[in-house]
Amino acid sequence: MIVQLVKKCLGVKDIASMRLSLPASLLEPIPNLEYWHYLDRPDLFAAINDSDDPFERMLAVLRFTFSKDLKFIRGKVCKPYNSVLGEHFRSHWDVLPVSYPSDPTQPPIQHLYLSEAAARSSYSALSALSPRKAISETASMRSGRSGISTVSGLSLLSKGYSTPATPGRSTPATSPDLFEAELDAQMSNLSLGNINASKSGDLIEGEEIPALADRPRVRIAYLTEQVSHHPPVSAFTAYCPSRQLELSGIDQISAKVSGTTIRVTPGNFNKGAFVRIKGGYGAGETYQITHPIASVNGILRGSFYVTVSESTIVTCTGGPEGGPYYRAIIEYKEESWLGRAHFLCEGVIHTYTPGSREHEEWTKVKHVPRSRIVAVFDGSWKHLIRWKRAIDPDSSYATLLDISTLHVIPKAVRALEKQLPDESRKLWENVTNKLMAKEYSDATKHKLAIEQKQRDDAAERKRKGQMFVPKYFEPDLDSGIPTLTEEGRKALEEELKEEGPYPLESVVDGVETP
């Protein structure tokens, strides 16, 4: 069946625009809008604005960038349901943000959904990587933001993660009452990505650490909507009012068969993910994070894995006059078509001059003049990333992020009875239930009914001479940064006010939803 599908796609300029209608048996039981988001580690996102140093904020954005697609490292490559026009999804996360030590060369202290670091032999990394410090060396540090002593979760791995759901805590395999508990549990291997969890350590929740039991959590609300069907385009916004952070962008991909792989690139509307700081230390800063090129490999063997090529560019604009203005390049190393993939990357953080266009041509590390380089980093984007300042070439490398310790933090989703008919889980409820029950024929019937209704609605709009107007986002998408409508702001505010099991950090006065 897979071979026949590949044959259909040969010579097609853009597979994504074909909107292939696959039989339900080939789909994973998760809606596309729920699957595609960039908050697999919202604790790293929430801490972006914790430092008064713009260089350290760039380091924080890089950590978030390396973690935002963790599902492809921890989980399997899959095909979710195709989104229908007007479908939307909303959710939120209540997290303990990472804590940053006063010494910027020390890695962040993380508290949620961690396991022991993978053995060096489990991942491919650069041969020059310096020895990692023992856990005990960084196990107890002082957080610059919270003012309390926090303990690294890596040294406190003590409990398993397949415990029954109880109020006040959530685990990868279970969830609180406000989740769809049974659905989340059955979907955990896909949407929460725990199938590759380290066998040498267990996942932990923050409240299992005594020092963090009473610490308020930070809420991040998320909203996305399918705003176009041909081509398939969705808009998304995530907002964290207590930390004055916003993440938004346009999702559109283009895909084609290249040799024995599927090559996935950003679509015309997709200009990357944008992190905007609304107040605090980095008020006015916007970080544009472009998307690299990804390839889905192992098609003929039916054993899929993702490799990444080209570059991700992170550019900081705005902020105080006089700078410094930082830009980062993450260059992914090409994989050999022989042998196993190595997943290597290297990069630089460099300064640039606002108003000048010379830096726009710097897309590889070798393009950047030495005089502009502030820091360098390298490693494996599936394992350990290390960095050091360029001003001191003899200095030792420090850990930027050890991705092998991280697991996807699950989202909180409103119960089905509280969802609207065009909300993703409600819309695809019958398909999901039938797939879970392995009743594939009935699942396909429900899926075809949804697709037929979309065609009927499109025909009716054409007959009346009407254009589709998104409900939650303004229709103008040219800038790559979507704008919420009044209904969109209302939906985001409702999500921010959803009841949860944890005490939440207070919202800064005067901060409004985007």
Side-chain angles (χ1 to χ4, degrees):
M1 189 180 292
I2 291 174
V3 171
Q4 291 302 316
L5 287 170
V6 172
K7 284 183 178 179
K8 275 186 182 180
C9 298
L10 289 175
V12 176
K13 187 175 181 181
D14 186 4
I15 299 172
S17 65
M18 292 175 64
R19 306 294 285 181
L20 286 171
S21 181
L22 301 177
S25 58
L26 291 184
L27 300 177
E28 289 289 345
I30 186 171
N32 184 63
L33 293 183
E34 177 174 354
Y35 182 71
W36 280 102
H37 63 78
Y38 304 103
L39 286 166
D40 288 341
R41 292 299 302 194
D43 56 340
L44 285 164
F45 170 71
I48 285 174
N49 197 24
D50 282 9
S51 175
D52 60 356
D53 185 333
F55 174 74
E56 292 181 16
R57 289 197 294 275
M58 175 57 84
L59 289 179
V61 173
L62 282 174
R63 290 184 177 103
F64 164 70
T65 301
F66 279 113
S67 71
K68 66 183 178 62
D69 294 310
L70 189 62
K71 64 172 67 67
F72 297 117
I73 299 174
R74 288 297 188 185
K76 59 182 177 179
V77 180
C78 69
K79 178 66 179 75
Y81 312 140
N82 283 341
S83 305
V84 302
L85 196 60
E87 176 186 345
H88 81 281
F89 176 76
R90 61 179 89 167
S91 63
H92 68 266
W93 291 262
D94 294 337
V95 297
L96 292 169
V98 300
S99 305
Y100 283 101
S102 56
D103 181 357
T105 64
Q106 296 293 342
I109 306 165
Q110 295 171 281
H111 314 293
L112 301 175
Y113 294 95
L114 305 169
S115 64
E116 292 178 350
R120 192 67 56 78
S121 60
S122 299
Y123 295 83
S124 296
L126 295 181
S127 59
L129 286 177
S130 56
R132 183 168 38 236
K133 290 186 177 181
I135 291 174
S136 60
E137 294 182 48
T138 58
S140 182
M141 297 182 184
R142 193 162 186 82
S143 165
R145 179 174 180 90
S146 66
I148 63 171
S149 177
T150 58
V151 181
S152 169
L154 295 180
S155 63
L156 294 169
L157 303 172
S158 59
K159 297 189 178 180
Y161 57 88
S162 297
T163 55
T166 55
R169 74 183 299 268
S170 60
T171 61
T174 58
S175 40
D177 292 340
L178 64 115
F179 282 58
E180 289 296 311
E182 182 179 352
L183 180 61
D184 274 359
Q186 295 184 67
M187 289 165 55
S188 62
N189 278 358
L190 171 68
S191 60
L192 306 180
N194 296 313
I195 57 174
N196 295 323
S198 170
K199 295 180 181 179
S200 60
D202 296 322
L203 302 182
I204 64 168
E205 244 287 17
E207 69 176 6
E208 295 175 359
I209 305 174
L212 302 178
D214 298 324
R215 181 173 167 184
R217 297 207 175 195
V218 170
R219 172 159 295 185
I220 301 165
Y222 178 77
L223 174 67
T224 181
E225 180 183 18
Q226 190 75 8
V227 296
S228 171
H229 187 64
H230 295 290
V233 179
S234 61
F236 68 90
T237 288
Y239 193 54
C240 179
S242 68
R243 297 298 177 95
Q244 305 183 74
L245 291 167
E246 178 194 347
L247 172 69
S248 57
I250 305 297
D251 266 337
Q252 179 198 6
I253 63 171
S254 177
K256 66 177 181 179
V257 174
S258 177
T260 59
T261 68
I262 296 178
R263 188 174 172 87
V264 181
T265 61
N268 294 330
F269 289 103
N270 189 339
K271 295 177 173 59
F274 294 82
V275 175
R276 296 196 282 186
I277 302 179
K278 301 290 191 175
Y281 295 126
E285 290 179 349
T286 296
Y287 294 83
Q288 180 183 10
I289 306 168
T290 65
H291 298 299
I293 293 175
S295 296
V296 179
N297 306 272
I299 295 174
L300 298 182
R301 297 192 310 271
S303 177
F304 307 118
Y305 65 96
V306 173
T307 56
V308 184
S309 59
E310 301 296 329
S311 300
T312 287
I313 309 295
V314 182
T315 306
C316 178
T317 57
E321 286 191 27
Y325 297 92
Y326 292 110
R327 182 174 180 264
I329 300 173
I330 305 172
E331 182 181 340
Y332 299 93
K333 297 303 180 180
E334 291 287 345
E335 304 287 354
S336 171
W337 64 279
L338 284 175
R340 63 191 182 96
H342 293 283
F343 311 112
L344 299 181
C345 66
E346 65 175 340
V348 295
I349 300 174
H350 66 84
T351 58
Y352 75 97
T353 305
S356 170
R357 302 187 68 112
E358 63 173 348
H359 62 274
E360 295 177 3
E361 299 179 359
W362 303 343
T363 58
K364 303 284 186 182
V365 170
K366 65 182 180 181
H367 297 159
V368 184
R370 286 182 177 272
S371 60
R372 294 295 189 95
I373 297 176
V374 179
V376 296
F377 55 89
D378 58 30
S380 166
W381 56 266
K382 297 187 74 170
H383 190 196
L384 180 68
I385 308 293
R386 61 177 193 165
W387 75 280
K388 72 174 181 178
R389 292 184 184 271
I391 195 172
D392 186 3
D394 295 327
S395 63
S396 60
Y397 278 89
T399 297
L400 181 72
L401 190 66
D402 191 343
I403 300 160
S404 72
T405 67
L406 305 181
H407 294 259
V408 176
I409 297 179
K411 62 184 79 69
V413 182
R414 291 163 24 257
L416 283 173
E417 57 267 20
K418 296 177 66 176
Q419 295 185 22
L420 300 175
D422 58 356
E423 205 159 343
S424 290
R425 286 195 180 181
K426 187 72 172 179
L427 178 68
W428 295 96
E429 178 183 9
N430 289 333
V431 178
T432 299
N433 289 340
K434 295 301 181 182
L435 283 179
M436 293 296 190
K438 298 184 179 181
E439 297 174 4
Y440 299 119
S441 177
D442 288 343
T444 299
K445 289 178 183 177
H446 287 294
K447 175 179 172 289
L448 292 176
I450 293 172
E451 293 170 345
Q452 185 59 48
K453 183 179 185 306
Q454 180 172 233
R455 288 190 284 268
D456 294 343
D457 290 345
E460 183 66 12
R461 284 193 299 272
K462 184 176 181 180
R463 186 182 68 81
K464 294 180 178 180
Q466 298 175 342
M467 296 288 292
F468 172 79
V469 178
K471 180 178 180 180
Y472 299 106
F473 293 90
E474 297 291 350
D476 183 9
L477 307 175
D478 291 339
S479 69
I481 305 178
T483 302
L484 287 169
T485 63
E486 185 59 38
E487 282 294 324
R489 285 190 289 272
K490 180 181 176 184
L492 208 57
E493 289 169 358
E494 289 175 353
E495 194 65 33
L496 287 168
K497 294 176 181 176
E498 278 289 314
E499 292 185 5
Y502 306 106
L504 297 178
E505 196 171 82
S506 59
V507 177
V508 179
D509 291 339
V511 176
E512 299 178 355
T513 51

